[in-house]
Amino acid sequence: MSNYHIKNLEEYFQVYRKSVRNPENFWEEIAEEHFLWRKRWDNVLSWNFSKPEVKWFEGAKLNITENCIDRHLTTRGDKTAILFEPNNPDEEAQAISYKELHKRVNKFANVLKSKGIKKGDRVCIYLPMIPELAISLLACARIGAIHSVVFAGFSSTALATRINDSECKMVITSDGSFRGSKTIDLKSIVDEALVDCPTISDVLVVKRINSEVLMKEGRDVWIEPLLAAASDECNAEVMDAEDPLFILYTSGSTGKPKGMLHTTAGYMVYTAYTFKNVFQYKENDVYWCTADIGWITGHSYIVYGPLANGATTVMFEGVPSYPDYGRFWQIVEKHKINQFYTAPTAIRALAKEGLAHVEPHNLSSLKILGTVGEPINEEAWHWYDDNIGKRKSPIVDTWWQTETGGIMITPIPFSTPTKPTYATLPFPGIQPVLMDTEGEVVKGNQVEGKLCIQFPWPSMARTIWGNHERYKDTYFSAFENKYFTGDGALRDEVGYYRITGRVDDVIIVSGHNLGTAPIEDAINEHPAVAESAIVGFPHDIKGNALYGYVILKDTGESRNHDNLRKEINQIITEQVGPIAKLDKIQFTQGLPKTRSGKIMRRILRKIASKDISNLGDTSTLLNPEVVQGIIDEAM
Ligand code: PRX
């Protein structure tokens, strides 16, 4: 019998030991007992991190939607699968049962087929948080198409780059989206993007805001009449364990976004097993993850993990501040939420607004609280614990990444004693190590290093779409035979891990991973700009905000700096999206560079944080004289 559901600390250690001593056997038992397979695997795991190549459950055949939907129909057909809470609190919530989800996914899948979408084709999904978003993911998976969801806050340029990188055939979008008191015209963003996307032949448009939109003849169609006419039966495509399930883009420190490719069986097994344990889901619980499905958190812990467990998962269309800062707590009360999973940036923003928004609401249904996406600071952790969990709901600080597919380091609630700012212990099957600058494993406790994982786990990304070399270089080259996460971490006296943040040029703003390169590229497109460099600096709510150092071209003319700042942020909004706007822009004469021409961001980071007491070694700089000038301008 597998220990599918861990109930106490002793059991955790027992399960963990088993998962490390005999990983194949451990995962095999879980896979065997808790999922529906069309054919059993021939081999549990084969791997080679130097290639790198990882295969889980090779030879097995399955369809993830049969696991997430069909197999629940007899026992949970009338149970709510997806509970949709609209942006506007006066609009009625929608409870979609497993039976109804089955029909809607099948209809959607049949519409995709009627448009010629086949197994292996890429479909780009650019939708707001409405039920059709979850349904379209599942519809793709039903027929073996590879979904590539692009967060609907990204700009047309960012959308086009992602569509072209994976050569999508179709875009699924809506006429628009509701976000708080605003509406966003999604369809026209898609239209702008598609000017440069030769591989797209069809656009399916969901009606959400009832706005007038341009429909391009022969390319764009409203989906509602097609769904109405489609059959609600659609046989699931039988997939190989290692067939691709989806691509999801994440920012790197350089270059274009990386299309992380996740495959079918391992992803399913791992997201389901982590969901069950990290949230201790019980049959009648109502679970809510506030993330957007445009991010990995939504893929794994709004859609696939919960549905694979037959859970009720809430999808919220709106924002935490609309109609007021009590919205999250009003929803918790209304739907009697038992597990609530959000990001530190949201907690900080809500804490700042005060308890007047929390106190009117009955939060007694809550059993478990979660956080993800960035380090949670101690103050926010305590605010969450005291005021939301009332010190009775454990906080699971879950560390993981788009690349890891599922939660990697986390407390198991009611088993692992929590500790503020610590993600605590590795999940069963996960073997973290800390590495020093010499490339050696750092042994013992009370140590710090770069966080790596030294053994494969089922839901790890298998490659970067179209660029396996980059996958190898980014994740498997820094340390031999290890997956490098890009994060730093420390291990305390009892072996708990605390993630200290990125050690590369990725900056996490409000939980969103932003690479410096695409933002700098956007700034440099401004005709007045000669060069630029972006760094992060601490921000009370966002965790980090962006600080831009900009060198203007020397044209002899004087320029209005305030206007330039606005124009630069406008370009960033267009090219990357509003999340990448700079909080501060400093016009400067030079940037500190190494002799090989690399910008020394360490110095710029210190100046942006107003921490200039010790700038470290500047002797390797090509132009040490610029540093004082930058400091003088900044202070
Ligand atoms: O730096 C870590 C941070 O977020 C990065 C991954 O970002 P992304 O791929 O967008 O996935 C976010 C949602 C899984 C990590 O490399 N991060 C994520 N969770 C935590 C965290 N940092 C500290 N504590 C966490 N719990």
Side-chain angles (χ1 to χ4, degrees):
M1 265 291 283
S2 71
N3 300 83
Y4 193 65
H5 194 173
I6 299 166
K7 292 177 211 65
N8 55 53
L9 191 60
E10 196 185 325
E11 201 177 317
Y12 161 79
F13 281 118
Q14 192 195 334
V15 171
Y16 186 77
R17 274 195 297 271
K18 181 167 151 189
S19 78
V20 172
R21 276 194 201 133
N22 194 342
E24 277 94 339
N25 184 262
F26 174 78
W27 288 112
E28 179 160 64
E29 278 183 13
I30 290 171
E32 210 152 45
E33 287 169 29
H34 302 281
F35 299 90
L36 186 69
W37 303 93
R38 291 287 193 105
K39 175 182 169 283
R40 211 188 127 90
W41 47 92
D42 305 317
N43 188 23
V44 181
L45 170 66
S46 62
W47 66 291
N48 177 342
F49 273 0
S50 54
K51 274 186 169 175
E53 185 179 79
V54 173
K55 291 181 179 168
W56 283 92
F57 308 112
E58 224 183 330
K61 299 215 180 270
L62 74 156
N63 186 289
I64 196 168
T65 69
E66 290 188 330
N67 280 275
C68 288
I69 310 172
D70 303 49
R71 68 172 165 143
H72 305 309
L73 293 177
T74 46
T75 49
R76 304 184 174 108
D78 294 319
K79 178 176 175 176
T80 300
I82 296 176
L83 183 52
F84 171 63
E85 173 67 25
N87 176 65
N88 180 348
D90 298 328
E91 190 183 324
E92 220 175 301
Q94 277 179 47
I96 302 171
S97 68
Y98 275 92
K99 263 191 206 148
E100 190 187 341
L101 184 64
H102 183 248
K103 291 196 170 130
R104 289 178 68 173
V105 167
N106 284 341
K107 277 175 168 281
F108 210 116
N110 282 324
V111 170
L112 296 180
K113 275 190 181 168
S114 74
K115 291 281 167 191
I117 299 295
K118 299 179 304 296
K119 179 176 175 184
D121 288 344
R122 276 80 61 208
V123 173
C124 174
I125 301 173
Y126 187 72
L127 278 173
M129 281 286 286
I130 54 177
E132 286 77 6
L133 174 52
I135 290 168
S136 61
L137 262 68
L138 294 162
C140 287
R142 187 85 178 167
I143 63 169
I146 304 171
H147 56 75
S148 170
V149 182
V150 177
F151 171 60
F154 274 122
S155 70
S156 58
T157 317
L159 175 61
T161 308
R162 287 159 175 77
I163 289 173
N164 289 333
D165 183 72
S166 45
E167 298 176 299
C168 295
K169 271 184 143 174
M170 171 189 271
V171 180
I172 304 171
T173 189
S174 64
D175 53 353
S177 67
F178 294 118
R179 258 188 100 67
S181 55
K182 290 192 260 180
T183 54
I184 297 164
D185 197 357
L186 285 190
K187 176 65 170 56
S188 61
I189 300 175
V190 171
D191 289 339
E192 257 177 71
L194 293 192
V195 172
D196 296 317
C197 297
T199 56
I200 296 291
S201 44
D202 293 279
V203 178
L204 299 181
V205 188
V206 179
K207 207 168 233 150
R208 176 59 184 143
I209 66 168
N210 279 318
S211 65
E212 283 281 314
V213 297
L214 277 173
M215 297 292 277
K216 186 171 167 189
E217 187 76 42
R219 187 193 72 182
D220 306 350
V221 278
W222 293 105
I223 195 164
E224 286 77 10
L226 302 182
L227 287 172
S231 157
D232 60 14
E233 286 297 329
C234 174
N235 285 338
E237 184 80 30
V238 179
M239 306 294 284
D240 287 339
E242 284 294 338
D243 275 339
L245 177 63
F246 65 86
I247 299 167
L248 186 61
Y249 286 88
T250 184
S251 306
S253 44
T254 54
K256 59 180 184 176
K258 298 172 286 190
M260 304 313 307
L261 183 79
H262 284 281
T263 58
T264 307
Y267 176 82
M268 171 183 80
V269 169
Y270 194 79
T271 54
Y273 180 54
T274 46
F275 174 77
K276 180 75 184 167
N277 283 290
V278 175
F279 299 104
Q280 294 283 306
Y281 187 83
K282 308 262 163 49
E283 188 57 37
N284 295 315
D285 288 348
V286 180
Y287 159 88
W288 180 22
C289 164
T290 71
D292 193 291
I293 292 175
W295 311 113
I296 191 70
T297 309
H299 280 60
S300 303
Y301 299 110
I302 296 178
V303 183
Y304 291 112
L307 296 179
N309 283 281
T312 297
T313 177
V314 173
M315 267 184 85
F316 174 45
E317 183 184 28
V319 292
S321 54
Y322 178 81
D324 61 47
Y325 282 93
R327 186 69 193 277
F328 272 7
W329 320 126
Q330 180 253 330
I331 296 173
V332 168
E333 177 173 0
K334 177 176 172 189
H335 296 303
K336 301 195 173 51
I337 303 293
N338 302 111
Q339 292 90 357
F340 177 76
Y341 190 29
T342 197
T345 187
I347 298 167
R348 289 190 294 263
L350 296 174
K352 182 170 160 268
E353 298 302 320
L355 291 177
H357 294 288
V358 182
E359 278 158 357
H361 301 288
N362 179 351
L363 306 181
S364 61
S365 58
L366 288 173
K367 295 194 286 193
I368 289 160
L369 302 177
T371 79
V372 60
E374 58 188 308
I376 180 164
N377 50 308
E378 192 139 2
E379 202 184 337
W381 195 98
H382 283 296
W383 186 87
Y384 199 30
D385 187 36
D386 293 347
N387 302 301
I388 307 304
K390 320 282 184 200
R391 299 197 186 180
K392 66 169 180 55
S393 307
I395 297 177
V396 287
D397 177 351
T398 63
W399 172 83
W400 58 296
Q401 310 177 296
T402 306
E403 295 85 338
T404 69
I407 294 170
M408 303 286 281
I409 302 184
T410 178
I412 305 288
F414 307 109
S415 297
T416 320
T418 58
K419 176 173 176 182
T421 78
Y422 282 75
T424 75
L425 297 171
F427 193 78
I430 303 307
Q431 302 187 28
V433 282
L434 298 178
M435 307 299 292
D436 67 18
T437 40
E438 259 80 76
E440 297 297 324
V441 173
V442 186
K443 299 243 166 69
N445 288 347
Q446 288 189 293
V447 290
E448 199 164 353
K450 292 185 179 174
L451 180 61
C452 290
I453 314 290
Q454 62 175 354
F455 194 85
W457 63 100
S459 67
M460 62 190 294
R462 303 295 195 257
T463 190
I464 293 175
W465 182 263
N467 199 345
H468 197 66
E469 266 316 293
R470 187 173 179 202
Y471 177 67
K472 182 177 174 175
D473 285 352
T474 313
Y475 305 105
F476 296 91
S477 302
F479 303 101
E480 206 186 331
N481 238 349
K482 289 175 184 64
Y483 166 83
F484 174 44
T485 64
D487 283 327
L490 56 84
R491 192 164 52 221
D492 78 358
E493 62 288 353
V494 298
Y496 275 15
Y497 287 89
R498 177 188 189 169
I499 311 302
T500 47
R502 301 290 311 180
V503 294
D504 56 14
D505 288 338
V506 171
I507 307 169
I508 302 194
V509 178
S510 299
H512 301 309
N513 234 339
L514 298 174
T516 50
I519 305 174
E520 288 164 4
D521 288 348
I523 300 172
N524 298 348
E525 283 196 14
H526 190 290
V529 172
E531 202 183 351
S532 60
I534 303 296
V535 295
F537 72 104
H539 185 280
D540 283 352
I541 291 173
K542 302 187 208 178
N544 293 296
L546 297 180
Y547 194 112
Y549 295 88
V550 175
I551 304 179
L552 294 175
K553 285 182 186 151
D554 189 6
T555 57
E557 296 163 47
S558 72
R559 305 285 308 240
N560 178 320
H561 282 185
D562 285 340
N563 287 348
L564 279 175
R565 287 191 176 92
K566 282 193 199 124
E567 288 163 20
I568 287 172
N569 268 331
Q570 182 57 33
I571 297 186
I572 294 174
T573 305
E574 283 159 17
Q575 303 262 325
V576 187
I579 44 179
K581 281 204 277 195
L582 309 183
D583 271 37
K584 287 199 184 149
I585 298 179
Q586 176 177 336
F587 295 103
T588 188
Q589 301 300 318
L591 294 169
K593 292 202 177 155
T594 62
R595 282 170 212 281
S596 59
K598 210 168 172 267
I599 296 170
M600 217 192 249
R601 289 171 205 276
R602 177 173 57 76
I603 294 175
L604 297 177
R605 268 195 289 272
K606 289 217 158 200
I607 300 174
S609 321
K610 302 222 179 305
D611 170 23
I612 51 162
S613 54
N614 175 16
L615 288 180
D617 183 13
T618 53
S619 64
T620 54
L621 285 180
L622 184 68
N623 52 352
E625 70 286 353
V626 302
V627 175
Q628 193 55 46
I630 300 175
I631 295 174
D632 294 344
E633 292 154 1
M635 300 297 149

